[in-house]
Amino acid sequence: MGEILKSIFSVGTLNQMLRSATPVALAAIGGSMTEHAGIMNIGMDGMILMGAFFGALGSYLFGSAAAGLAMVLLMGILVGLFFALFVVKLHSDEFIIGCALNTFALGLTTYLSRSIFGSAGTKGNPALPKLHLPLLDKIPIVGEVLNNHSIFVYLTLIFVIIMWLYVYKTPQGFWLRASGEKPETLRTAGISPEKMKWIASILCGIFCALAGAHLSLGQLNGTFAENMVNSRGYIAFACVIFAAANPAKAYLAALMFGFFDAIGLRLQKHVSPELTGMIPYIITIVMMVYVVVRSQKKKRTKAQQKA
Amino acid sequence: MKKRKLIHWDYLLALAISVLLAFAIGAVILAVSGHHPGTAYLAMFQGAFSNARHFGDVLEYAMVLCLCGLACVLGARVGIFNVGGEGQLLLGAIAAAQVGVWLSGVTAWVTIPLAALAAIATGALYALIPGVLKVKVKVNEVITTIMLNTIAASLCQYLAKGPWNSASKTIVAGTEQLSAQHWFGGLIPGSSLSTAIFAAAIMAFLIWYVMQKTSKGFEMKLTGQNPRFARFSGIKTDRLVITCMAISGAICGLVGMFRVYGAEHMYKSSVSNDYYFEGLMVAMIAQYQPVPVMLLSLFFAVLKIGAQGMELSAGVPNQIYLIIQTIIIFCMAAQSGISASLRAKTGKRKASAAEGGKDNG
């Protein structure tokens, strides 16, 4: 037992936590945008998968991670546009389009991966650099936790701050929130809520694609395997809901997912990996219930105070 | 009230255009990835119809798609989306399989009903979790069911590898093979088609009957379309939603049992490979109507089994099937969106013309 506890509460767990949390956090930043714009986006899983595949493909075709990343950005924008075309322009059912997008991404990436790489997928393509800050080495534990990560682990923190400022401190962010909450009021003010929804979809496409790029080009050093996203898009969606679409809170929620994922990985030495693999998913359900119950309680007390 | 049409020509036309477009886009994808579209589609057709064995597989898969699609329709009718059918199916399959292992020496008259009961109970109970959470706590059922899918898949994998693994260890993750006296009789030698299809046909008929022909079915529709009004008119909507979810889960569990006793004869991961999601897609294309679900299941089963044959004979990955299926959904969505916006435009024009007429007069 002591050994198990020691392996759970270790520097390695925290290090792994950051790594596991990053793709979920990136997708959750994107999901926060569409959530603010009033779009229920369950298609994030497919968006991440597209990013992961086209990142690996770009890196494979052009022999450089930068080219892979460029392809990821392009795909992210395209997928965002595609999603918005249906959900915003054509008023299609968000649930159907999201589900179809996920299945389409699974079909397309598996088909292309098998056509191009064969059934085993691809690995060992040029990957994104890892960052090593000699300065951090001097601080004992913090250095070990924070150093030597793929570059997106650090970029995600910057993205969180930028997008938090964008949503809550800029006029456009205000319009974005209004486009979901009070679209008609926004229209009276002379700003098209549809335009804000298009922007939100494109931003979501980009961030989800980056999350995929982090998986294939960052975390796994240029690997693509079929269905490698493994429901992370849905976990990101859950994080968005915990956080009420606040990017900073969504990042914290993703960190918590990362923490339980890391614990699961640590416990694999002692318990079967199938059982430990369930932990983050169970925690996600428990958290969903907790958040909903708490928000209902808040509403009820507010109503009582008014009465 | 308008009389209900037997055949919706608008829908059929939209579907036909979507299917043609999807095949055209699929041909482009095939050509770009270096396969000849004509050869591939021919191989797909042959894969489904070239011999009786393949056609048996088509019917078996159509049964799976149809029941999964109807399970989804049942939830959608009352306004709850059961995306968790995959987990319910897997758990039902492994529960039924293990009951068969425990009762391997007992007569089929005891074993089969108990196995079916086990599949129904596990499927229904597993669907109750998201159902109750949705109704009582208002937690989004899409997220919970997806999480529960992953959890169920892990649990089944754990059981099949560990405690319930076959004693002979011939398979890494699979239960003991069922004793042959319990297998459902095969209808076409060499194919997965079994007598389970008759049970499935009865189930499909019952679901259709209850949904379209009884007052319960009307209550379900009302609950899905306007829950507040349904509550005011005295329908116990909460109980109805939870019941529908449980039945939906029970159906999925039974599909798992059919797969085990009819086709695989043990629990292993090939019992379902996201089959429920494919059924869900069929339900969406059928716009959650039971009869179209049944007909479209057959169509997509031809595509799926054909695509698998195509992979073997022409070397084209069978996932082109998923691509075509989802493009059909996108095309249908696009058409209904475009026609709605056209209608809105002409409606506006008519309205303004009428107003103009008034001004002149």
Side-chain angles (χ1 to χ4, degrees):
Chain A
M1 197 65 205
E3 197 194 338
I4 298 178
L5 284 178
K6 211 189 262 172
S7 75
I8 289 177
F9 296 102
S10 66
V11 176
T13 307
L14 293 176
N15 190 297
Q16 177 66 41
M17 169 183 89
L18 272 178
R19 250 183 293 167
S20 299
T22 298
V24 174
L26 273 168
I29 296 173
S32 300
M33 301 302 125
T34 43
E35 184 73 18
H36 274 305
I39 301 169
M40 184 181 95
N41 184 359
I42 58 167
M44 283 195 276
D45 213 56
M47 293 178 173
I48 303 174
L49 192 57
M50 297 281 256
F53 174 75
F54 283 97
L57 182 69
S59 171
Y60 168 84
L61 288 179
F62 302 108
S64 97
L69 203 57
M71 203 143 159
V72 165
L73 283 173
L74 186 71
M75 278 317 289
I77 294 171
L78 282 178
V79 172
L81 284 171
F82 185 77
F83 185 73
L85 172 70
F86 282 97
V87 170
V88 183
K89 178 84 186 161
L90 296 169
H91 301 286
S92 307
D93 186 327
E94 298 153 353
F95 175 72
I96 292 181
I97 295 301
C99 277
L101 185 63
N102 290 337
T103 312
F104 177 73
L106 180 64
L108 186 73
T109 56
T110 310
Y111 174 82
L112 291 177
S113 167
R114 286 195 189 174
S115 295
I116 299 169
F117 310 123
S119 60
T122 179
K123 56 182 161 194
N125 296 305
L128 293 168
K130 287 195 165 31
L131 218 60
H132 183 89
L133 300 171
L135 198 72
L136 277 176
D137 273 343
K138 297 203 177 105
I139 318 170
I141 293 170
V142 180
E144 270 180 78
V145 172
L146 291 182
N147 233 338
N148 294 326
H149 283 294
S150 174
I151 187 145
F152 267 113
V153 173
Y154 309 100
L155 286 178
T156 304
L157 254 180
I158 300 171
F159 288 145
V160 167
I161 297 167
I162 293 175
M163 296 320 282
W164 186 84
L165 289 172
Y166 170 73
V167 170
Y168 294 107
K169 303 288 165 196
T170 66
Q172 218 185 51
F174 180 70
W175 300 337
L176 177 75
R177 283 178 287 145
S179 75
E181 280 168 26
K182 299 245 155 57
E184 290 319 311
T185 319
L186 187 65
R187 203 190 305 280
T188 342
I191 291 142
S192 152
E194 279 79 25
K195 193 182 116 195
M196 297 316 300
K197 287 181 194 231
W198 276 90
I199 292 174
S201 292
I202 294 168
L203 282 173
C204 182
I206 292 174
F207 277 112
C208 288
L210 288 180
H214 172 73
L215 277 177
S216 65
L217 291 179
Q219 203 163 312
L220 294 170
N221 299 317
T223 300
F224 179 80
E226 288 166 18
N227 197 12
M228 68 189 290
V229 174
N230 213 353
S231 304
R232 282 189 183 86
Y234 298 105
I235 292 183
F237 184 58
C239 288
V240 171
I241 295 191
F242 297 158
N246 179 335
K249 285 186 189 165
Y251 183 70
L252 292 180
L255 276 182
M256 202 182 67
F257 160 77
F259 179 68
F260 284 105
D261 195 44
I263 287 184
L265 289 173
R266 295 265 136 190
L267 283 177
Q268 275 184 13
K269 278 180 226 143
H270 313 280
V271 192
S272 107
E274 281 84 22
L275 292 181
T276 58
M278 292 180 203
I279 296 173
Y281 300 93
I282 296 175
I283 296 289
T284 305
I285 296 179
V286 173
M287 276 300 295
M288 283 290 282
V289 175
Y290 170 74
V291 168
V292 174
V293 168
R294 201 190 51 180
S295 76
Q296 278 169 353
K297 219 176 241 170
K298 254 188 207 161
K299 250 186 229 162
R300 221 172 294 145
T301 48
K302 246 186 207 168
Q304 274 169 0
Q305 277 166 2
K306 263 186 197 165
Chain B
M1 204 171 144
K2 229 172 33 176
K3 205 177 162 231
R4 272 186 51 212
K5 280 183 288 184
L6 193 62
I7 299 173
H8 294 259
W9 292 108
D10 300 356
Y11 168 75
L12 275 182
L13 183 69
L15 183 65
I17 294 174
S18 302
V19 170
L20 287 178
L21 260 176
F23 272 100
I25 297 171
V28 173
I29 294 174
L30 283 168
V32 168
S33 56
H35 303 285
H36 190 283
T39 349
Y41 284 148
L42 188 69
M44 201 183 227
F45 186 77
Q46 284 167 343
F49 294 110
S50 59
N51 61 36
R53 219 181 65 222
H54 289 162
F55 192 66
D57 285 344
V58 167
L59 288 180
E60 198 255 353
Y61 194 64
M63 168 190 93
V64 172
L65 280 185
C66 174
L67 289 182
C68 289
L70 287 176
C72 170
V73 169
L74 209 56
R77 194 49 69 91
V78 291
I80 185 166
F81 288 102
N82 181 9
V83 195
E86 186 72 15
Q88 294 143 20
L89 192 164
L90 288 174
L91 284 179
I94 202 165
Q98 192 58 22
V99 166
V101 172
W102 283 328
L103 303 177
S104 61
V106 184
T107 161
W109 293 105
V110 177
T111 310
I112 301 287
L114 283 180
L117 205 65
I120 290 172
T122 31
L125 283 176
Y126 206 59
L128 273 180
I129 304 173
V132 170
L133 284 180
K134 157 98 175 177
V135 170
K136 300 284 175 204
V137 199
K138 307 231 167 352
V139 179
N140 183 328
E141 78 277 18
V142 176
I143 306 262
T144 47
T145 46
I146 297 235
M147 297 295 131
L148 287 170
N149 277 343
T150 318
I151 294 168
S154 307
L155 183 66
C156 288
Q157 190 72 6
Y158 164 75
L159 289 171
K161 266 187 186 173
W164 290 355
N165 192 219
S166 65
S168 52
K169 305 269 177 212
T170 41
I171 183 163
V172 181
T175 60
E176 198 81 54
Q177 197 171 44
L178 299 172
S179 82
Q181 56 162 334
H182 295 149
W183 298 3
F184 288 154
L187 293 180
I188 297 176
S191 81
S192 325
L193 187 67
S194 69
T195 46
I197 197 163
F198 299 124
I202 296 171
M203 281 162 64
F205 173 78
L206 282 178
I207 295 167
W208 169 82
Y209 184 80
V210 170
M211 269 199 289
Q212 306 295 93
K213 299 283 163 197
T214 64
S215 61
K216 257 292 166 276
F218 181 71
E219 287 181 10
M220 284 164 63
K221 203 178 211 166
L222 209 56
T223 306
Q225 283 170 350
N226 194 341
R228 276 175 64 119
F229 178 71
R231 258 193 301 278
F232 283 134
S233 50
I235 300 169
K236 294 199 173 72
T237 54
D238 285 2
R239 202 202 276 170
L240 193 62
V241 171
I242 291 177
T243 315
C244 282
M245 190 67 179
I247 296 174
S248 172
I251 296 169
C252 294
L254 267 182
V255 175
M257 185 218 171
F258 291 168
R259 289 282 302 149
V260 169
Y261 281 72
E264 305 286 355
H265 304 137
M266 62 164 82
Y267 176 88
K268 55 183 176 187
S269 57
S270 61
V271 158
S272 176
N273 186 10
D274 281 351
Y275 292 167
Y276 181 79
F277 282 96
E278 290 173 19
L280 186 84
M281 297 285 134
V282 172
M284 284 175 176
I285 297 173
Q287 302 183 327
Y288 307 118
Q289 297 301 321
V291 176
V293 166
M294 298 173 200
L295 299 176
L296 284 172
S297 296
L298 200 59
F299 174 70
F300 283 109
V302 168
L303 278 191
K304 166 96 176 181
I305 302 296
Q308 285 175 349
M310 175 187 72
E311 177 157 358
L312 290 178
S313 64
V316 183
N318 73 65
Q319 279 74 17
I320 192 76
Y321 155 76
L322 285 181
I323 298 176
I324 290 176
Q325 196 182 28
T326 43
I327 292 177
I328 293 176
I329 297 183
F330 289 130
C331 289
M332 301 274 296
Q335 285 182 48
S336 70
I338 291 168
S339 66
S341 74
L342 279 181
R343 230 176 294 136
K345 256 183 208 159
T346 51
K348 250 183 216 165
R349 208 174 299 147
K350 264 183 200 160
S352 62
E355 262 173 38
K358 250 182 231 162
D359 288 348
N360 289 338

